[in-house]
Amino acid sequence: MTASSPAAPSRTVSLPLLLGVLGVVYGDIGTSPLYAFRAALLHFSADGVERWEILGILSLIFWALVLTVTVKYVTFILRADNKGEGGILALMALAQRTTNTERSRRIVMLLGITGACLFFGDGTITPAISVLSAMEGLKVASPVFEPLIIPGSILILVALFLVQYRGTGSMGAVFGPVMAVWFGTLGLLGLIEIVQEPEVLAAVSPHHAIRFCLHYRLAAFIAFGSVVLAVTGAEALYADMGHFGRRPIRLAWTFYVLPALALNYMGQGALILGDAAALENPFFLLAPEFLRLPLVVLATAATIIASQSMISGAFSIGRQCIQLGFLPRLTVRHTSETEEGQIYLPQINFALLAGVLILVLSFHTSDNLAAAYGIAVTGTFVCTSSLAILVFRRKFGWPAFAVAAVFVPLLLIDSAFFFSNVLKIPEGGYVPLVLGAGLFILMHTWKRGRELLFSRFRQDSLPLKSFLARLPQSRTIRVPGIAVFMTGQADYVPNALLHNLKHNKVLHERVLFVTVLNEDVPQVGPERRREVSELAPGIHRVILHYGFQESPNIPRELAELRADGVPFEPMQASYFLGRETVVAAVAPKMSQWRQWLFTFMSRNAVPATEFFRIPSDRVVELGVRVAI
C-alpha cells in the first residue's frame, strides 16, 4: 500500500507556525462548542433529559470528532495533496488525472463543483451562526443585554466584511494567540466541571452511543443532524494544508485542539448532569458569573476569527473556480506584496455579506440557524470521500480491499450525517441547498458556454499554419511596433488579427500570439511558466502556464521574454483583444434561458485588461459576434 502522494515540502514545526494553524485552520470547528451540544440535546428535552441520554449524545459527538476528523481527515485525507495543496478542487484535479473517459472526467468534475458550491453555502452560514451564538452569551450574562444581540451581531458582521479589502496580514498576527487562549479556556472550563462530575467520562465508551441509537432509532438519526455541528470546519484541515503543511495541522489537532474540544463537551455534559436547567446555555454557564462577560468577549473574538477563516477560504475557492474555468473573470486584488495567497474578491465579499445579513435577520437565533447549518458541510464530506476512493485506489495504488475497509465506512458515516440533515430542509436546510444549486447552475452554464464558444472559434477560425504559409506571398504591409494578440486557441489565428488585417490592412513588425493555460496544479514553477516558439520571422507564439492558485500578470511575463532571446519593449507593445458578443445560432446548443444567463455573465465579467493586468491605454478591442 502506498503511504501517500508525493510528499509536500517539509516544514520545520515552530511555535509561530502552530499558532498560525490554530488561528486559521481551527477557527470554525473551535467555535462549535458554543451551540453543537445544546442543539443536539434539545431534541430530547421536552420531558427533561436523563443521564443515559446525555452520555449518549456526548459519546456521539466524541466519536464524530475521532472518526470524521482524526481518522478521515487527519490520518488519511491529508495524504492526498496536489503538489502540497489540498481542498475539494485540488482533490478533484487529482481524481481527474486517474480517469480514462470523458464521461468519468465529467462525473468527477460535477462532484468537485458540487463540493465547491456547498462550501460557499457553508461560508454564508458560518459567520451568521458563529457571531449570533457568541452574542447570545450577553443574555446569559444579563437579560438586560438581550435586545442588543441582533443589532450587535449585524454591526460586527458588517464591520468584518468591510475591512476585508485591507487583507488578513495585519489581523493574522493576533489570530493565533487569541485562538490559543480560546482553546485553553475551553479545556480548562470543561476540566473544572468534569472534576465535579467525573462519571461523565464514561461517554468515551462507544457503547453509550450505540445504546442511544438503538433506543431512539429514527430520533437518534434526526439528532445526527445536530451532532455533525461538532465537526463543521473539518474540511478546513484539508483546504488549508498548502498554507501550513500536514504535520503542523496534525500536531495541533492531536495534542491541543481535540483534547480541548473533548474536555469542553464533557464539561457541558457534566454541568447538565448536575443541573438540568443549565441546558439553557451550557457553554456560557460553565463559567462563574463574574467571568461570563469576559467569556462573551473572547467568544466573539473567536467567532470573528472563525468567520474570517471561512471568508478567506471563499476568496481562495473563488479564484480557483475562475482559473479552472467554472466562473467568469472576477476582480482579484492582492492584499500582500509577499504572500500570493492573500487576496480579496470584492464581488464575492459583498455577495457573502448580503447572504449573511439576510440569514441573521430571517432566523434571529443560533438555534434556528442550526437547522440550516450542516447540510452543506455534510454534502462536502460526501463529495470528498467519494473522490478520495478514486484517488487512493487509482493514483496511490491502494488495494481494493484496503480502500473499501477505510473509506466505505467513512462514506457511510458521511452519508448518515448528510441524510439526517436532509430531514431539516423544511426548517431551514433549504438555504444552503438553494445557494449551492444556484451556484452550480452558474458554474455549469459558464463551463458549457465557454466550451461551445471555443468550439465555434475552432470551426470558424483560420488554422495558424495555413495563415503563416500564405503570409510570404501576401502583400501585407509590416509596420513598426509590437502587436500582442491574446488568444485562447493557440493553433488558430485570433479573430482580432483577422479583423485588424481586414480593416487596417497592416501587420506589425513583431507579433506575439499569447495563450494563457490554466493547469490543474496549485502553482507552476518559473521554469515551466513560458513556452516560446518562433513561427515565422518576427512572429512568436507564447504559451503561459498558471496554476489554479495564481493570478496572471501578462506584461510582467512578456517583459521576461528578453531572457528567451525575444526582443520586447513594453512601451512599444499594443494589445489586441477580441470582445465577443454571443448571439443565438440557427440551431442553438443551449436552452434560451441558459444562453441568456451565459450572456449576462459574459457582459458582467471583469475586462480582460484588468484580469490579466494589461495597461488599459495600450489595448485595442475588436468586437466579434459568435453564434452558439
Side-chain angles (χ1 to χ4, degrees):
M1 182 188 301
T2 303
S4 70
S5 66
S10 59
R11 306 188 188 192
T12 303
V13 178
S14 61
L15 182 59
L17 187 61
L18 290 173
L19 287 175
V21 170
L22 293 177
V24 175
V25 178
Y26 293 113
D28 190 3
I29 200 169
T31 54
S32 295
L34 284 165
Y35 47 81
F37 180 60
R38 179 173 182 269
L41 207 54
L42 280 176
H43 291 285
F44 310 94
S45 63
D47 55 351
V49 289
E50 299 181 24
R51 175 184 178 277
W52 69 274
E53 292 173 323
I54 296 169
L55 294 179
I57 291 289
L58 282 175
S59 188
L60 284 172
I61 289 176
F62 176 78
W63 285 102
L65 289 169
V66 170
L67 295 175
T68 299
V69 185
T70 307
V71 175
K72 177 184 170 182
Y73 280 97
V74 173
T75 305
F76 293 107
I77 297 295
L78 285 182
R79 301 181 181 204
D81 68 273
N82 185 351
K83 305 289 186 182
E85 297 290 339
I88 186 72
L89 292 179
L91 189 64
M92 178 198 75
L94 284 176
Q96 282 190 319
R97 295 177 199 167
T98 70
T99 56
N100 302 319
T101 65
E102 184 60 32
R103 182 172 177 270
S104 58
R105 283 181 62 84
R106 188 165 291 275
I107 292 173
V108 168
M109 181 193 75
L110 291 177
L111 278 172
I113 294 179
T114 301
C117 291
L118 290 173
F119 179 88
F120 281 113
D122 182 24
T124 307
I125 299 175
T126 294
I129 191 172
S130 298
V131 173
L132 263 179
S133 60
M135 292 298 289
E136 284 167 356
L138 289 172
K139 183 172 59 176
V140 178
S142 173
V144 176
F145 295 127
E146 186 170 358
L148 299 177
I149 293 174
I150 299 295
S153 298
I154 290 175
L155 186 64
I156 289 171
L157 289 166
V158 169
L160 175 64
F161 280 93
L162 289 183
V163 299
Q164 290 303 311
Y165 76 96
R166 298 176 63 89
T168 58
S170 56
M171 295 180 282
V174 298
F175 281 6
V178 169
M179 291 308 294
V181 172
W182 170 253
F183 283 114
T185 303
L186 289 184
L188 182 61
L189 290 176
L191 183 61
I192 291 171
E193 203 62 41
I194 291 170
V195 169
Q196 300 179 47
E197 294 279 351
E199 63 178 303
V200 75
L201 293 175
V204 171
S205 172
H207 89 272
H208 287 287
I210 296 169
R211 177 191 175 192
F212 183 86
C213 293
L214 291 177
H215 182 272
Y216 275 115
R217 297 183 183 178
L218 180 60
F221 180 70
I222 295 171
F224 282 1
S226 298
V227 170
V228 77
L229 298 177
V231 294
T232 56
E235 188 74 19
L237 277 72
Y238 185 39
D240 289 318
M241 180 169 60
H243 295 290
F244 301 102
R246 67 170 68 97
R247 190 158 177 257
I249 290 174
R250 284 174 169 165
L251 289 174
W253 171 259
T254 305
F255 296 105
Y256 196 59
V257 178
L258 176 59
L261 292 175
L263 285 172
N264 192 265
Y265 283 120
M266 295 292 176
Q268 291 186 46
L271 180 66
I272 297 174
L273 281 175
D275 179 11
L279 184 58
E280 177 193 356
N281 198 318
F283 176 81
F284 284 105
L285 290 173
L286 278 176
E289 190 171 348
F290 69 94
L291 286 179
R292 285 173 193 164
L293 201 54
L295 185 59
V296 170
V297 175
L298 180 60
T300 303
T303 56
I304 289 172
I305 292 170
S307 302
Q308 177 62 57
S309 302
M310 189 58 68
I311 295 166
S312 300
F315 292 160
S316 297
I317 294 291
R319 180 170 67 171
Q320 291 179 28
C321 288
I322 295 167
Q323 293 295 80
L324 292 171
F326 296 132
L327 283 177
R329 294 186 298 267
L330 301 175
T331 302
V332 179
R333 295 177 186 164
H334 291 259
T335 59
S336 171
E337 295 181 358
T338 57
E339 295 296 328
E340 168 70 20
Q342 291 187 20
I343 55 174
Y344 168 62
L345 280 72
Q347 293 98 326
I348 290 180
N349 185 61
F350 288 106
L352 285 174
L353 173 59
V356 167
L357 293 181
I358 290 171
L359 288 176
V360 171
L361 293 172
S362 300
F363 287 85
H364 300 294
T365 70
S366 61
D367 286 339
N368 293 337
L369 262 176
Y373 206 25
I375 197 164
V377 178
T378 54
T380 307
F381 285 174
V382 171
C383 293
T384 299
S385 294
S386 302
L387 291 173
I389 289 174
L390 193 61
V391 170
F392 278 78
R393 176 71 183 100
R394 293 188 178 179
K395 184 169 180 61
F396 300 159
W398 280 29
F401 75 87
V403 173
V406 171
F407 288 105
V408 170
L410 294 174
L411 181 59
L412 289 175
I413 293 172
D414 292 339
S415 300
F417 282 142
F418 176 76
F419 286 111
S420 67
N421 276 277
V422 168
L423 300 175
K424 300 195 298 186
I425 288 177
E427 303 169 19
Y430 61 85
V431 172
L433 287 183
V434 169
L435 290 171
L439 279 169
F440 184 89
I441 291 170
L442 288 176
M443 289 188 188
H444 194 263
T445 299
W446 182 256
K447 186 76 171 177
R448 178 61 178 157
R450 295 300 290 177
E451 288 173 354
L452 292 174
L453 206 59
F454 288 142
S455 176
R456 175 60 67 180
F457 280 149
R458 288 190 293 269
Q459 183 178 332
D460 296 344
S461 297
L462 177 68
L464 191 57
K465 286 184 178 179
S466 301
F467 172 77
L468 294 173
R470 298 176 191 172
L471 192 60
Q473 288 77 38
S474 70
R475 297 184 178 181
T476 304
I477 299 172
R478 304 292 287 264
V479 297
I482 303 172
V484 178
F485 291 94
M486 302 293 298
T487 174
Q489 306 293 315
D491 295 324
Y492 292 85
V493 180
N495 284 324
L497 185 146
L498 295 177
H499 280 266
N500 188 48
L501 282 175
K502 178 181 178 181
H503 294 290
N504 298 321
K505 309 292 191 295
V506 297
L507 189 67
H508 284 72
E509 213 169 39
R510 289 194 294 255
V511 175
L512 299 177
F513 297 121
V514 178
T515 300
V516 174
L517 294 182
N518 296 309
E519 300 194 6
D520 62 355
V521 295
Q523 296 178 346
V524 174
E527 72 283 354
R528 293 185 52 240
R529 176 76 73 205
R530 296 184 305 277
E531 288 182 51
V532 183
S533 55
E534 186 173 16
L535 305 176
I539 299 177
H540 291 80
R541 175 162 56 199
V542 180
I543 299 178
L544 301 176
H545 299 267
Y546 287 92
F548 55 71
Q549 287 193 341
E550 297 179 294
S551 298
N553 188 326
I554 303 303
R556 183 179 65 193
E557 296 303 331
L558 295 184
E560 298 293 326
L561 287 176
R562 283 171 288 195
D564 300 314
V566 179
F568 182 83
E569 294 297 332
M571 298 308 296
Q572 295 182 17
S574 296
Y575 294 82
F576 289 81
L577 306 177
R579 179 176 286 273
E580 306 96 2
T581 300
V582 180
V583 297
V586 177
K589 296 186 178 180
M590 292 178 76
S591 59
Q592 188 174 357
W593 70 269
R594 288 188 75 188
Q595 191 168 84
W596 176 88
L597 181 60
F598 177 72
T599 303
F600 177 80
M601 287 192 288
S602 297
R603 288 175 180 170
N604 288 277
V606 168
T609 52
E610 181 180 338
F611 187 76
F612 292 120
R613 306 190 202 182
I614 299 172
S616 57
D617 59 348
R618 309 206 65 82
V619 172
V620 179
E621 286 194 345
L622 299 169
V624 182
R625 287 172 65 86
V626 184
I628 61 174

